[in-house]
Amino acid sequence: MTAAGTELTLRHPIERFTLDNGLRVVLAPDRSVPVVAVSVYYDVGMRNEPEGRTGFAHLFEHMMFQGSANVAKMEHARLVQAAGGTFNGSTHQDYTNYFQALPAEALERALFLEADRMAAPAITEENLRNQIDVVKEEIRVNVLNRPYGAFPWLQLPQVAFETFANTHDGYGSFVDLESSTVADATDFFDKYYAPGNAVLCIGGDLDVAATEELVRRWFGPIPGRHVSPLPYTGEPSPTTVRSAVVEDLLAPAPAFALGWRVPDPVGDFDTYLGSVLLAELLSEGDASRLETRLVHDDRIAIAQSSYVGLFGDPFDVRDATLLTTQVHHPAAVPAERVMAAVHEEVARIATDGVGADELRRVQARIEAQLLQQADSVLGRTLAFAAAELVHGRAELAGELAARLAAVSPEAVQAAARGLDPGTAAVLELRPAGGAR
């Protein structure tokens, strides 16, 4: 690691312990501002859903906000906001998280709220039916009635992968959602929301000893339950092109997405970082390879982007995942012409490599983004929690900028060589009715 890279390491103190019920706890004290963040990451995401229950991880995220044994419906939100805090939750491929940021004196309130719903969320017929309707409306707004609503995040995996875990629609089908029962929800909670399947991460203005006492007070009494080993979600690398065409009644212009498998984000992390930087080099900023070639020079594209991980964060995902390049282009320009240009630019990097100055510019951009994220107590706490859950090391979140700074031009060139046109997943979107 270079000296510059070493200086980029965030050396926030990390303390950890595990409760008797299996709950892993990470404390990240920072007394500089009187704010705390409390996050709970459950090791269950869209890839854990059983067949016939697509969308269930996201549905259950909604259920966790419908009250619990000692907290009435909507009371969680009221209590956090009354203390001057904010809260939210989200569902990802590999985890579901819940979090709040509050004034430091409200720490125990947040711990009580999270512990209460970890112990006994209000899984009732009324709550389930109500939240199924909410999720269905969310799908209508975000996917069915929006141009490019499913493109490519819901559609490309069906082309790129083979297993149900990686190919199914994580937002969920209406049939699967409507047929869900209270028994299904209870079983899902028992299986995946056990304390031993979660990480509690608390950051900010806290005293470590006092905070540990509070955690043990509120989370310690929750009974432990059996936690099954994580299912393997990796797949053999493809050896041929896989392709599909979809139509979009609302899309004003055609588009396509190319997806390539990348190294294991956990088991082969250092190699994987080359792919992360390659995606940045290809598409981020006006000086990026694809922006220059497709948009400015050849003028054959309207917009382009490349990224690793379907949810936009390359550091909180497990195998298998993709480097995706998506391009929106004028109807008068054949998709094949634009795809050929993309492959040419990737081949240039694979053959000629990348200059140290160009790579350093790309590294500086992503390092700045990571350091900016770490500026806030909440952003830093979420990063620590994700790193602990996915990689087993919260400290990795503080090392990311330095690890990226240490990636060599040769590693990025090797990543480009892995983007073989002969193994790409190709999803072409065609307008079928135009804008309305």
Side-chain angles (χ1 to χ4, degrees), residues 261-413:
R261 289 281 296 279
V262 294
D264 184 344
V266 178
D268 196 9
F269 185 68
D270 286 326
T271 307
Y272 174 75
L273 290 180
S275 298
V276 173
L277 286 172
L278 174 62
E280 294 277 324
L281 186 146
L282 284 171
S283 72
E284 289 300 312
D286 287 340
S288 65
R289 298 291 185 101
L290 294 182
E291 186 74 12
T292 299
R293 171 75 184 274
L294 304 181
V295 179
H296 298 303
D297 292 348
D298 292 0
R299 298 185 180 181
I300 56 175
I302 301 166
Q304 60 76 35
S305 63
S306 296
Y307 46 91
V308 177
L310 293 172
F311 283 68
D313 188 337
F315 305 118
D316 67 354
V317 65
R318 298 186 175 110
D319 207 33
T321 195
L322 303 173
L323 188 157
T324 301
T325 292
Q326 67 179 78
V327 182
H328 297 247
H329 59 94
V333 180
E336 294 75 15
R337 179 185 172 190
V338 191
M339 288 184 204
V342 172
H343 289 309
E344 287 172 11
E345 289 305 310
V346 172
R348 282 181 56 205
I349 300 171
T351 301
D352 302 334
V354 55
D357 288 345
E358 181 182 13
L359 178 58
R360 185 65 207 133
R361 183 177 69 248
V362 171
Q363 288 168 318
R365 180 187 299 110
I366 192 169
E367 290 157 13
Q369 293 169 348
L370 288 167
L371 295 172
Q372 182 180 31
Q373 172 186 295
D375 272 348
S376 77
V377 170
L378 178 59
R380 192 163 59 247
T381 303
L382 297 180
F384 285 146
E388 183 73 18
L389 187 77
V390 175
H391 294 272
R393 287 188 65 245
E395 293 86 351
L396 180 64
E399 299 167 1
L400 285 175
R403 297 280 284 270
L404 286 161
V407 175
S408 67
E410 291 76 18
V412 178
Q413 182 179 18

Side-chain angles (χ1 to χ4, degrees), residues 249-262:
L249 290 170
L250 302 176
F256 66 82
L258 303 173
W260 293 274
R261 289 281 296 279
V262 294

Side-chain angles (χ1 to χ4, degrees), residues 122-328:
I123 304 174
T124 67
E125 182 70 22
E126 178 186 356
N127 285 341
L128 182 62
R129 293 301 136 202
N130 176 269
Q131 292 313 299
I132 288 172
D133 288 342
V134 170
V135 171
K136 286 168 59 180
E137 183 61 21
E138 191 175 321
I139 294 171
R140 291 187 187 99
V141 171
N142 292 337
V143 178
L144 300 179
N145 295 315
R146 175 179 293 182
Y148 314 105
F151 177 82
W153 72 290
L154 293 178
Q155 297 166 328
L156 183 60
Q158 299 174 30
V159 184
F161 300 114
E162 295 182 352
T163 64
F164 175 80
N166 291 320
T167 58
H168 77 272
D169 179 351
Y171 232 149
S173 76
F174 283 11
V175 171
D176 286 356
L177 290 169
E178 289 167 351
S179 62
S180 300
T181 67
V182 169
D184 293 327
T186 301
D187 180 68
F188 194 82
F189 171 76
D190 288 341
K191 185 173 183 180
Y192 293 111
Y193 276 71
N197 204 43
V199 168
L200 167 66
C201 186
I202 309 168
D205 188 9
L206 58 91
D207 175 87
V208 170
T211 302
E212 179 174 348
E213 181 180 340
L214 289 174
V215 168
R216 293 188 182 278
R217 177 186 306 167
W218 292 110
F219 289 88
I222 301 173
R225 299 194 299 277
H226 172 73
V227 176
S228 299
L230 283 173
Y232 178 65
T233 55
E235 295 186 18
S237 295
T239 57
T240 60
V241 173
R242 304 175 185 183
S243 61
V245 176
V246 294
E247 293 187 341
D248 189 328
L249 290 170
L250 302 176
F256 66 82
L258 303 173
W260 293 274
R261 289 281 296 279
V262 294
D264 184 344
V266 178
D268 196 9
F269 185 68
D270 286 326
T271 307
Y272 174 75
L273 290 180
S275 298
V276 173
L277 286 172
L278 174 62
E280 294 277 324
L281 186 146
L282 284 171
S283 72
E284 289 300 312
D286 287 340
S288 65
R289 298 291 185 101
L290 294 182
E291 186 74 12
T292 299
R293 171 75 184 274
L294 304 181
V295 179
H296 298 303
D297 292 348
D298 292 0
R299 298 185 180 181
I300 56 175
I302 301 166
Q304 60 76 35
S305 63
S306 296
Y307 46 91
V308 177
L310 293 172
F311 283 68
D313 188 337
F315 305 118
D316 67 354
V317 65
R318 298 186 175 110
D319 207 33
T321 195
L322 303 173
L323 188 157
T324 301
T325 292
Q326 67 179 78
V327 182
H328 297 247

Side-chain angles (χ1 to χ4, degrees), residues 83-98:
T86 60
F87 70 96
N88 212 332
S90 61
T91 310
H92 298 249
Q93 281 184 289
D94 295 304
Y95 65 82
T96 306
N97 66 353
Y98 305 88

